[in-house]
Amino acid sequence: MIRFGLCCIFIEEPIKFRTITAKTLSTLPRQQQLERISDICLKNAENLVESLHSVARMGIGAFRILSSFFPRYTHPEAGYVLEDLPDAKSILKILKHVNRLRGGKNIRLSFHPDQFVVLNSPNEEVVRKSIAEIEYHAALATLVGAEVINIHAGGGYGDKAASLKRFERGYALLSAAAQQRLTLENDDVLYTPSDLLPLCRDLRIPLVYDVHHHRCNPDSLSVEEATAKAMETWTLRKQEPYSHVSSPKQGWTGRDPKPHADYINPADIPDFWRDIGPFTLDVEAKHKEKAVVKLMDEWPIR
DNA sequence: GCATGTCAAGTTGTG
DNA sequence: CACAACTTGACATGC
């Protein structure tokens, strides 16, 4: 049994999350900055409520919240905390409503902090900023009841073993709220499931198994083996596993299989996934909810 | 209006 | 060595 998930945004549904750049904010006095940000955060909170209604209506069971939900939250100049915002009370109220809705509709929420979050960087400043960004996600996750903050292990810096050791150091600096939600995902160029599984076992971190990344960046494990080992990291924590799927834009014969296609080719989903579970499968496709709905139609669960 | 360039941030592989 | 790719497009500006 598979629960399908949508990532961040919609292509056809009339829901547009808003944002603002640090550059634009920098032209405004602080009070006006906070007003602009507050307005955007309030609208994004309302958008999230609408998102839950929409995905529930379409039979989608998970939703990834975009990282710029509170735009520029940790920016060195434009950054802020919720209490700074004129609409803080309304925003909080809506986010608590989101949490109740999520529970009532049984929708899993997650985050995927962007590529600038590198917990294993040799540069201390990068680690410090990465931790701030993860803690921002954790605060938001606590408010809305999101289970997962999923990241990649980071750079290799010519020595993957040493770099994974540095990951442990960064991980140790996170709050309990962040550690509780942090998950690791195999990436498409560097860290394979085999690389990450020992670390996941040692730190009790669930492994989000991205089958597309595994095909782009394989190791000695078969898809079957990697699936089974990844699932174990979740059941150990008594959580439903998460996996990711996407299809290559130019097909597997094209030059670079890494870019994502508009839709999922059902053939890219391992057949045996029908018989395991339950687990959540985030669909990473450019056509967003249309791709998820199409996949659910073309790849019916038993 | 609509087209186009820009947007905080890291790391890697490619042309 | 510049640039795309990564989960990603929306905002800002200038015509």
Side-chain angles (χ1 to χ4, degrees), chain A residues 29-102:
Chain A
R30 186 58 176 166
Q31 201 48 44
Q32 280 181 43
Q33 288 185 6
L34 294 172
E35 284 164 15
R36 286 286 294 274
I37 291 166
S38 187
D39 188 48
I40 291 170
C41 292
L42 184 61
K43 293 222 164 48
N44 281 352
E46 290 166 352
N47 276 327
L48 184 52
V49 172
E50 286 311 307
S51 299
L52 293 193
H53 286 302
S54 291
V55 297
R57 175 166 39 77
M58 292 183 274
I60 296 171
F63 184 67
R64 182 187 300 173
I65 301 171
L66 77 177
S67 291
S68 56
F69 188 80
F70 285 171
R72 310 289 83 81
Y73 190 90
T74 66
H75 187 274
E77 276 89 42
Y80 54 95
V81 293
L82 193 50
E83 294 72 42
D84 293 339
L85 305 180
D87 299 305
K89 275 191 181 163
S90 315
I91 295 167
L92 265 178
K93 200 172 152 192
I94 297 171
L95 293 184
K96 284 178 183 165
H97 178 53
V98 165
N99 200 339
R100 283 194 302 273
L101 264 184
R102 163 201 70 74

Coordinates of all heavy atoms in Angstrom, one line a residue, chain A residues 29-102:
Chain A
P29 N 12.5 50.3 5.0 CA 12.8 50.4 6.5 C 12.3 49.2 7.2 O 11.4 48.5 6.7 CB 12.1 51.6 6.9 CG 11.1 51.9 5.8 CD 11.6 51.3 4.6
R30 N 12.9 48.8 8.3 CA 12.6 47.6 9.0 C 11.1 47.3 9.2 O 10.6 46.2 9.0 CB 13.3 47.6 10.4 CG 13.2 46.3 11.2 CD 13.8 45.1 10.3 NE 13.8 43.8 11.1 CZ 14.0 42.7 10.5 NH1 14.2 42.6 9.2 NH2 14.0 41.6 11.2
Q31 N 10.4 48.3 9.7 CA 9.0 48.1 9.9 C 8.2 47.7 8.7 O 7.4 46.8 8.7 CB 8.4 49.4 10.6 CG 7.1 49.1 11.3 CD 7.2 47.9 12.3 OE1 8.2 47.8 13.0 NE2 6.2 47.0 12.3
Q32 N 8.6 48.3 7.6 CA 7.9 47.9 6.3 C 8.3 46.6 5.9 O 7.5 45.8 5.3 CB 8.2 49.0 5.2 CG 7.3 50.2 5.3 CD 7.6 51.2 4.2 OE1 7.8 50.8 3.1 NE2 7.7 52.5 4.6
Q33 N 9.6 46.2 6.1 CA 10.1 44.9 5.8 C 9.2 43.8 6.5 O 8.7 42.9 5.9 CB 11.5 44.7 6.3 CG 12.5 45.4 5.5 CD 14.0 45.0 6.0 OE1 14.1 44.1 6.9 NE2 15.0 45.7 5.5
L34 N 9.0 44.1 7.9 CA 8.2 43.1 8.7 C 6.8 43.1 8.2 O 6.1 42.0 8.3 CB 8.3 43.5 10.1 CG 9.7 43.4 10.7 CD1 9.8 43.9 12.1 CD2 10.2 41.9 10.7
E35 N 6.2 44.2 7.8 CA 4.8 44.2 7.3 C 4.7 43.4 6.0 O 3.8 42.6 5.8 CB 4.4 45.6 7.0 CG 4.0 46.4 8.3 CD 3.9 47.9 8.1 OE1 3.8 48.4 7.0 OE2 3.9 48.6 9.2
R36 N 5.7 43.6 5.1 CA 5.6 42.8 3.8 C 5.8 41.3 4.1 O 5.0 40.5 3.6 CB 6.8 43.2 2.9 CG 6.6 44.6 2.2 CD 5.6 44.5 1.1 NE 6.0 43.7 0.0 CZ 6.7 44.2 -1.0 NH1 7.2 45.4 -1.1 NH2 7.0 43.4 -2.0
I37 N 6.7 41.0 5.0 CA 7.0 39.6 5.3 C 5.7 39.0 6.0 O 5.3 37.9 5.7 CB 8.2 39.4 6.2 CG1 9.5 39.8 5.4 CG2 8.3 38.0 6.8 CD1 10.7 40.0 6.3
S38 N 5.2 39.7 6.9 CA 4.0 39.3 7.7 C 2.9 38.9 6.7 O 2.2 37.9 6.8 CB 3.6 40.4 8.7 OG 2.6 39.9 9.5
D39 N 2.7 39.8 5.8 CA 1.6 39.6 4.8 C 1.8 38.3 4.0 O 0.9 37.5 3.8 CB 1.5 40.8 3.9 CG 0.3 40.8 3.0 OD1 -0.8 40.5 3.5 OD2 0.5 41.0 1.7
I40 N 3.0 38.1 3.6 CA 3.4 36.9 2.8 C 3.2 35.7 3.7 O 2.6 34.7 3.2 CB 4.8 37.0 2.2 CG1 4.8 38.1 1.2 CG2 5.3 35.7 1.7 CD1 6.2 38.5 0.7
C41 N 3.7 35.7 4.9 CA 3.6 34.5 5.8 C 2.1 34.2 6.0 O 1.7 33.0 6.1 CB 4.3 34.8 7.1 SG 6.1 34.8 6.9
L42 N 1.3 35.2 6.2 CA -0.1 35.0 6.5 C -0.8 34.3 5.3 O -1.5 33.4 5.4 CB -0.8 36.3 6.8 CG -2.3 36.3 7.2 CD1 -2.5 35.5 8.4 CD2 -2.8 37.8 7.4
K43 N -0.5 34.9 4.1 CA -1.0 34.3 2.9 C -0.5 32.9 2.6 O -1.3 32.0 2.2 CB -0.7 35.2 1.7 CG -1.4 36.6 1.8 CD -1.9 37.0 0.4 CE -2.9 38.1 0.6 NZ -2.5 39.3 1.4
N44 N 0.7 32.6 2.9 CA 1.3 31.3 2.8 C 0.6 30.3 3.7 O 0.4 29.1 3.4 CB 2.8 31.3 3.0 CG 3.5 31.8 1.7 OD1 2.9 32.0 0.7 ND2 4.8 32.0 1.8
A45 N 0.3 30.8 5.0 CA -0.4 29.9 5.9 C -1.8 29.6 5.4 O -2.2 28.4 5.4 CB -0.5 30.6 7.3
E46 N -2.5 30.6 4.8 CA -3.8 30.3 4.2 C -3.6 29.4 3.0 O -4.5 28.5 2.8 CB -4.4 31.6 3.8 CG -4.8 32.5 5.0 CD -5.2 33.9 4.6 OE1 -4.9 34.3 3.4 OE2 -5.6 34.7 5.5
N47 N -2.6 29.6 2.3 CA -2.3 28.7 1.1 C -2.1 27.3 1.6 O -2.5 26.3 0.8 CB -1.1 29.2 0.3 CG -1.4 30.3 -0.7 OD1 -2.5 30.3 -1.2 ND2 -0.5 31.2 -0.9
L48 N -1.5 27.1 2.7 CA -1.2 25.7 3.2 C -2.5 25.0 3.6 O -2.7 23.8 3.3 CB -0.2 25.8 4.4 CG 0.2 24.4 5.0 CD1 0.8 23.5 3.9 CD2 1.3 24.7 6.0
V49 N -3.4 25.8 4.2 CA -4.8 25.2 4.5 C -5.4 24.8 3.2 O -5.9 23.6 3.1 CB -5.7 26.3 5.2 CG1 -7.1 25.7 5.3 CG2 -5.1 26.6 6.6
E50 N -5.4 25.6 2.2 CA -6.0 25.3 0.9 C -5.3 24.1 0.3 O -6.0 23.2 -0.3 CB -5.9 26.5 -0.1 CG -6.9 27.6 0.2 CD -8.3 27.1 0.5 OE1 -8.8 26.3 -0.4 OE2 -8.9 27.3 1.5
S51 N -4.0 24.0 0.5 CA -3.2 22.9 -0.1 C -3.7 21.6 0.5 O -3.9 20.6 -0.2 CB -1.7 23.1 0.2 OG -1.2 24.2 -0.4
L52 N -3.9 21.6 1.8 CA -4.4 20.3 2.5 C -5.8 19.9 1.9 O -6.0 18.7 1.7 CB -4.4 20.5 4.0 CG -3.1 20.7 4.7 CD1 -3.2 20.5 6.2 CD2 -2.0 19.7 4.2
H53 N -6.6 20.9 1.8 CA -8.0 20.5 1.2 C -7.8 20.0 -0.2 O -8.5 19.0 -0.5 CB -8.8 21.8 1.2 CG -9.3 22.2 2.6 ND1 -10.1 21.3 3.3 CD2 -9.2 23.3 3.3 CE1 -10.4 21.9 4.5 NE2 -9.8 23.2 4.5
S54 N -7.0 20.6 -1.0 CA -6.8 20.2 -2.4 C -6.2 18.8 -2.5 O -6.7 17.9 -3.2 CB -5.9 21.2 -3.2 OG -6.6 22.4 -3.3
V55 N -5.1 18.5 -1.7 CA -4.5 17.2 -1.9 C -5.4 16.1 -1.3 O -5.5 15.0 -1.9 CB -3.1 17.1 -1.2 CG1 -2.1 18.1 -1.8 CG2 -3.2 17.3 0.3
A56 N -6.2 16.4 -0.3 CA -7.1 15.5 0.3 C -8.2 15.1 -0.7 O -8.5 13.9 -1.0 CB -7.7 16.0 1.6
R57 N -8.7 16.1 -1.4 CA -9.7 15.9 -2.4 C -9.2 15.0 -3.5 O -9.9 14.2 -4.1 CB -10.1 17.3 -3.0 CG -11.1 17.2 -4.1 CD -11.8 18.6 -4.4 NE -10.9 19.7 -4.3 CZ -10.0 20.1 -5.2 NH1 -9.8 19.3 -6.3 NH2 -9.2 21.1 -5.1
M58 N -7.9 15.2 -3.9 CA -7.3 14.4 -5.0 C -6.9 13.0 -4.5 O -6.4 12.2 -5.4 CB -6.2 15.2 -5.6 CG -6.7 16.4 -6.3 SD -5.3 17.3 -7.2 CE -4.7 18.3 -5.8
G59 N -7.0 12.7 -3.2 CA -6.6 11.4 -2.8 C -5.1 11.3 -2.5 O -4.5 10.2 -2.5
I60 N -4.4 12.5 -2.5 CA -3.0 12.5 -2.2 C -2.8 12.5 -0.7 O -3.5 13.3 0.0 CB -2.3 13.8 -2.9 CG1 -2.5 13.7 -4.4 CG2 -0.9 13.9 -2.4 CD1 -2.1 14.9 -5.1
G61 N -1.8 11.7 -0.2 CA -1.7 11.5 1.3 C -0.6 12.2 2.0 O -0.4 12.0 3.2
A62 N 0.3 12.9 1.2 CA 1.4 13.6 1.8 C 1.7 14.9 1.1 O 1.4 15.0 -0.2 CB 2.6 12.7 1.8
F63 N 2.2 15.8 1.8 CA 2.6 17.1 1.2 C 3.9 17.7 1.7 O 4.1 17.7 2.9 CB 1.4 18.1 1.4 CG 1.6 19.5 0.7 CD1 1.6 19.6 -0.7 CD2 1.9 20.6 1.5 CE1 1.8 20.8 -1.3 CE2 2.1 21.8 0.8 CZ 2.0 21.9 -0.6
R64 N 4.8 18.0 0.8 CA 6.1 18.6 1.2 C 5.9 20.1 1.2 O 5.4 20.7 0.2 CB 7.2 18.2 0.2 CG 8.5 18.8 0.6 CD 9.5 18.5 -0.5 NE 9.7 17.0 -0.7 CZ 10.5 16.6 -1.7 NH1 11.1 17.4 -2.5 NH2 10.5 15.2 -1.9
I65 N 6.3 20.8 2.3 CA 6.1 22.2 2.4 C 7.4 22.9 1.9 O 8.5 22.5 2.3 CB 5.8 22.6 3.9 CG1 4.5 21.9 4.4 CG2 5.7 24.1 4.0 CD1 4.3 22.1 5.9
L66 N 7.2 23.9 1.1 CA 8.4 24.5 0.5 C 9.2 25.3 1.6 O 8.6 25.8 2.6 CB 8.0 25.4 -0.7 CG 7.4 26.8 -0.5 CD1 7.3 27.5 -1.9 CD2 6.1 26.7 0.2
S67 N 10.5 25.3 1.4 CA 11.4 25.9 2.4 C 11.2 27.4 2.6 O 11.5 27.9 3.7 CB 12.8 25.6 2.0 OG 13.1 24.2 2.2
S68 N 10.7 28.1 1.5 CA 10.6 29.5 1.7 C 9.2 29.9 2.2 O 8.7 31.0 1.9 CB 10.8 30.2 0.3 OG 10.0 29.6 -0.7
F69 N 8.6 29.0 3.0 CA 7.2 29.2 3.5 C 7.2 30.5 4.3 O 6.3 31.3 4.2 CB 6.9 28.0 4.4 CG 5.4 28.1 4.9 CD1 4.4 27.7 4.1 CD2 5.1 28.5 6.2 CE1 3.1 27.7 4.5 CE2 3.8 28.6 6.6 CZ 2.8 28.2 5.8
F70 N 8.3 30.7 5.2 CA 8.5 32.0 5.8 C 9.8 32.5 5.1 O 10.9 32.2 5.5 CB 8.8 31.8 7.3 CG 7.6 31.5 8.2 CD1 7.8 31.1 9.5 CD2 6.3 31.6 7.7 CE1 6.8 30.8 10.4 CE2 5.3 31.3 8.5 CZ 5.5 30.9 9.9
P71 N 9.6 33.4 4.1 CA 10.7 33.7 3.3 C 11.8 34.5 4.0 O 11.5 35.4 4.9 CB 10.1 34.6 2.1 CG 8.8 35.0 2.6 CD 8.3 34.0 3.6
R72 N 13.1 34.2 3.8 CA 14.3 34.9 4.3 C 14.3 34.8 5.8 O 14.9 35.7 6.5 CB 14.3 36.3 3.8 CG 14.1 36.5 2.3 CD 15.3 36.1 1.5 NE 15.3 34.6 1.3 CZ 14.6 34.0 0.3 NH1 13.8 34.7 -0.5 NH2 14.6 32.7 0.2
Y73 N 13.7 33.8 6.4 CA 13.7 33.7 7.9 C 15.0 33.8 8.6 O 15.2 34.4 9.6 CB 13.0 32.4 8.2 CG 12.6 32.2 9.7 CD1 11.4 32.7 10.2 CD2 13.5 31.6 10.6 CE1 11.0 32.5 11.5 CE2 13.1 31.5 11.9 CZ 11.9 31.9 12.4 OH 11.5 31.8 13.7
T74 N 16.0 33.1 8.0 CA 17.4 33.0 8.6 C 18.4 34.0 7.9 O 19.6 33.8 8.1 CB 17.9 31.6 8.6 OG1 18.2 31.2 7.2 CG2 17.0 30.6 9.2
H75 N 17.9 34.8 7.0 CA 18.8 35.7 6.3 C 19.5 36.6 7.3 O 18.9 37.2 8.2 CB 18.0 36.5 5.3 CG 18.9 37.4 4.4 ND1 19.4 38.6 4.8 CD2 19.5 37.1 3.2 CE1 20.1 39.1 3.8 NE2 20.2 38.2 2.9
P76 N 20.8 36.9 7.2 CA 21.6 37.7 8.1 C 21.1 39.1 8.3 O 21.1 39.6 9.4 CB 23.0 37.7 7.6 CG 23.0 37.0 6.2 CD 21.7 36.2 6.2
E77 N 20.6 39.7 7.2 CA 20.0 41.1 7.4 C 18.5 41.0 7.6 O 17.9 41.7 8.4 CB 20.4 42.0 6.2 CG 21.8 42.6 6.4 CD 22.8 41.7 5.8 OE1 22.6 41.1 4.7 OE2 23.9 41.5 6.4
A78 N 17.8 40.3 6.7 CA 16.4 40.4 6.6 C 15.7 39.4 7.6 O 14.5 39.5 7.8 CB 15.9 40.0 5.2
G79 N 16.5 38.5 8.2 CA 15.9 37.5 9.1 C 15.0 38.1 10.2 O 15.1 39.2 10.6
Y80 N 14.2 37.2 10.8 CA 13.2 37.6 11.8 C 12.8 36.4 12.6 O 13.1 35.3 12.3 CB 12.0 38.3 11.1 CG 11.4 37.4 10.0 CD1 10.3 36.6 10.3 CD2 11.9 37.3 8.8 CE1 9.8 35.8 9.4 CE2 11.4 36.5 7.8 CZ 10.3 35.7 8.1 OH 9.8 34.9 7.2
V81 N 12.0 36.6 13.6 CA 11.2 35.6 14.3 C 9.7 35.9 14.2 O 9.4 37.0 13.9 CB 11.6 35.4 15.7 CG1 13.1 34.9 15.8 CG2 11.4 36.6 16.5
L82 N 8.9 34.9 14.4 CA 7.5 35.0 14.1 C 6.9 36.2 15.0 O 6.1 36.9 14.5 CB 6.8 33.7 14.5 CG 5.4 33.5 14.1 CD1 5.2 33.9 12.6 CD2 4.9 32.1 14.3
E83 N 7.4 36.3 16.2 CA 6.9 37.3 17.1 C 7.1 38.7 16.6 O 6.4 39.7 17.0 CB 7.5 37.2 18.5 CG 7.1 35.9 19.2 CD 7.8 34.7 18.7 OE1 9.0 34.7 18.3 OE2 7.1 33.6 18.5
D84 N 8.1 38.9 15.6 CA 8.3 40.2 15.1 C 7.2 40.7 14.1 O 7.1 41.8 13.8 CB 9.6 40.2 14.2 CG 10.9 40.0 15.1 OD1 10.8 40.2 16.3 OD2 11.9 39.5 14.5
L85 N 6.4 39.7 13.6 CA 5.5 40.0 12.6 C 4.2 40.5 13.1 O 3.6 40.0 14.1 CB 5.2 38.8 11.7 CG 6.5 38.1 11.1 CD1 6.1 36.9 10.3 CD2 7.3 39.1 10.3
P86 N 3.6 41.6 12.5 CA 2.3 42.2 12.9 C 1.2 41.1 13.0 O 0.4 41.2 13.9 CB 2.0 43.2 11.9 CG 3.3 43.5 11.2 CD 4.2 42.3 11.4
D87 N 1.2 40.1 12.1 CA 0.2 39.2 12.0 C 0.5 37.9 12.7 O -0.1 36.8 12.5 CB -0.2 38.8 10.6 CG -0.7 40.1 9.8 OD1 -1.6 40.7 10.3 OD2 -0.1 40.4 8.8
A88 N 1.5 37.9 13.6 CA 2.0 36.7 14.3 C 0.8 35.8 14.9 O 0.8 34.6 14.7 CB 3.0 37.0 15.4
K89 N -0.1 36.5 15.5 CA -1.2 35.7 16.2 C -2.0 35.0 15.2 O -2.4 33.8 15.4 CB -2.1 36.7 17.0 CG -1.5 36.9 18.4 CD -2.5 37.6 19.3 CE -1.9 37.9 20.7 NZ -2.7 38.9 21.4
S90 N -2.4 35.7 14.1 CA -3.2 35.0 13.1 C -2.5 33.9 12.4 O -3.1 32.8 12.1 CB -3.7 36.0 12.0 OG -4.1 37.2 12.6
I91 N -1.2 34.1 12.1 CA -0.4 33.1 11.5 C -0.3 31.9 12.4 O -0.6 30.8 11.9 CB 1.0 33.7 11.2 CG1 0.9 34.8 10.2 CG2 1.9 32.6 10.7 CD1 2.2 35.6 10.0
L92 N -0.1 32.1 13.6 CA 0.0 30.9 14.6 C -1.3 30.2 14.6 O -1.3 28.9 14.6 CB 0.3 31.4 16.0 CG 1.8 31.4 16.4 CD1 1.9 32.0 17.8 CD2 2.3 30.0 16.4
K93 N -2.4 30.9 14.6 CA -3.7 30.3 14.7 C -4.0 29.4 13.5 O -4.4 28.3 13.6 CB -4.8 31.4 14.8 CG -6.1 31.0 15.3 CD -7.0 32.2 15.6 CE -8.5 31.8 15.4 NZ -9.4 33.0 15.4
I94 N -3.6 29.9 12.3 CA -3.8 29.2 11.1 C -2.9 27.9 11.1 O -3.4 26.8 10.7 CB -3.6 30.0 9.8 CG1 -4.6 31.2 9.8 CG2 -3.7 29.2 8.6 CD1 -4.3 32.2 8.8
L95 N -1.7 28.1 11.5 CA -0.8 26.9 11.5 C -1.2 25.8 12.5 O -1.1 24.6 12.2 CB 0.7 27.4 11.8 CG 1.3 28.3 10.8 CD1 2.7 28.6 11.1 CD2 1.2 27.6 9.4
K96 N -1.8 26.2 13.6 CA -2.4 25.2 14.5 C -3.6 24.6 13.8 O -3.8 23.3 14.0 CB -2.8 25.9 15.8 CG -1.6 26.2 16.7 CD -2.0 26.9 18.0 CE -0.8 27.2 18.8 NZ -1.1 28.2 19.9
H97 N -4.3 25.3 13.1 CA -5.5 24.8 12.3 C -4.9 23.7 11.3 O -5.5 22.7 11.1 CB -6.2 25.9 11.6 CG -7.4 25.4 10.8 ND1 -8.4 24.6 11.2 CD2 -7.6 25.7 9.4 CE1 -9.2 24.4 10.2 NE2 -8.8 25.0 9.1
V98 N -3.8 24.1 10.7 CA -3.2 23.2 9.7 C -2.8 21.9 10.4 O -3.1 20.8 9.9 CB -1.9 23.8 9.1 CG1 -1.0 22.7 8.4 CG2 -2.2 24.9 8.1
N99 N -2.3 22.0 11.6 CA -1.9 20.8 12.3 C -3.2 19.9 12.6 O -3.1 18.7 12.4 CB -1.3 21.2 13.7 CG -0.4 20.1 14.3 OD1 -0.6 18.9 13.9 ND2 0.5 20.4 15.1
R100 N -4.3 20.5 13.0 CA -5.5 19.7 13.2 C -6.0 19.1 11.9 O -6.4 17.9 11.9 CB -6.6 20.6 13.8 CG -6.4 20.9 15.3 CD -7.6 21.5 15.9 NE -8.0 22.7 15.3 CZ -7.6 23.9 15.6 NH1 -6.7 24.1 16.6 NH2 -8.0 25.0 14.9
L101 N -6.0 19.9 10.8 CA -6.5 19.4 9.5 C -5.6 18.2 9.1 O -6.2 17.2 8.6 CB -6.3 20.5 8.5 CG -7.5 21.4 8.1 CD1 -7.0 22.3 7.0 CD2 -8.7 20.6 7.7
R102 N -4.3 18.3 9.2 CA -3.4 17.3 8.8 C -3.7 16.0 9.6 O -3.8 14.9 9.0 CB -2.0 17.7 9.2 CG -1.0 16.6 9.2 CD 0.2 17.0 10.1 NE 0.0 17.1 11.5 CZ -0.2 16.1 12.3 NH1 -0.1 14.9 11.9 NH2 -0.5 16.3 13.6

